[in-house]
Amino acid sequence: MESKQYTTFEQIERDLQILKLEREIHHKKIILHIEQTKESLTPRNLLSELLHFSIPKNLGSIIKLFAPLLIQWFFNKKRGS
């Protein structure tokens, strides 16, 4: 990090004010992330996430693979063969 040369106290005060505001913003972001984490860890959300991830993401590919086989089996069963 480069050292900054100040020529007036106003420059120092301005940079200190900027740093203070940046610190407050980061603090608010941390609080927001903590609240979001608390919400995501409720039993309802945990169950929702569990059910969401239990369904394979490539379900469409699986259906495309097995659909013709199921249709053929169904028609063969209807015919009695």
Side-chain angles (χ1 to χ4, degrees):
M1 192 169 155
E2 196 175 308
S3 295
K4 190 170 184 179
Q5 297 278 331
Y6 295 102
T7 56
T8 65
F9 283 110
E10 285 112 16
Q11 290 174 338
I12 295 171
E13 290 297 323
R14 187 190 72 229
D15 278 0
L16 286 173
Q17 183 65 25
I18 291 170
L19 290 172
K20 180 182 175 188
L21 292 172
E22 288 176 346
R23 182 175 176 254
E24 288 178 21
I25 290 170
H26 290 295
H27 185 258
K28 296 288 184 184
K29 283 183 179 180
I30 289 171
I31 290 173
L32 178 64
H33 289 296
I34 289 171
E35 290 300 319
Q36 289 173 341
T37 301
K38 282 181 185 178
E39 287 177 15
S40 70
L41 292 176
T42 61
R44 180 180 182 190
N45 287 336
L46 288 173
L47 182 60
S48 172
E49 288 295 321
L50 178 67
L51 292 175
H52 175 70
F53 286 118
S54 66
I55 299 171
K57 292 184 179 184
N58 56 356
L59 185 61
S61 300
I62 294 171
I63 290 172
K64 287 179 185 176
L65 178 67
F66 286 105
L69 296 173
L70 288 173
I71 291 170
Q72 183 180 9
W73 174 80
F74 178 75
F75 283 126
N76 285 341
K77 185 170 176 121
K78 283 291 231 180
R79 288 186 207 154
S81 23

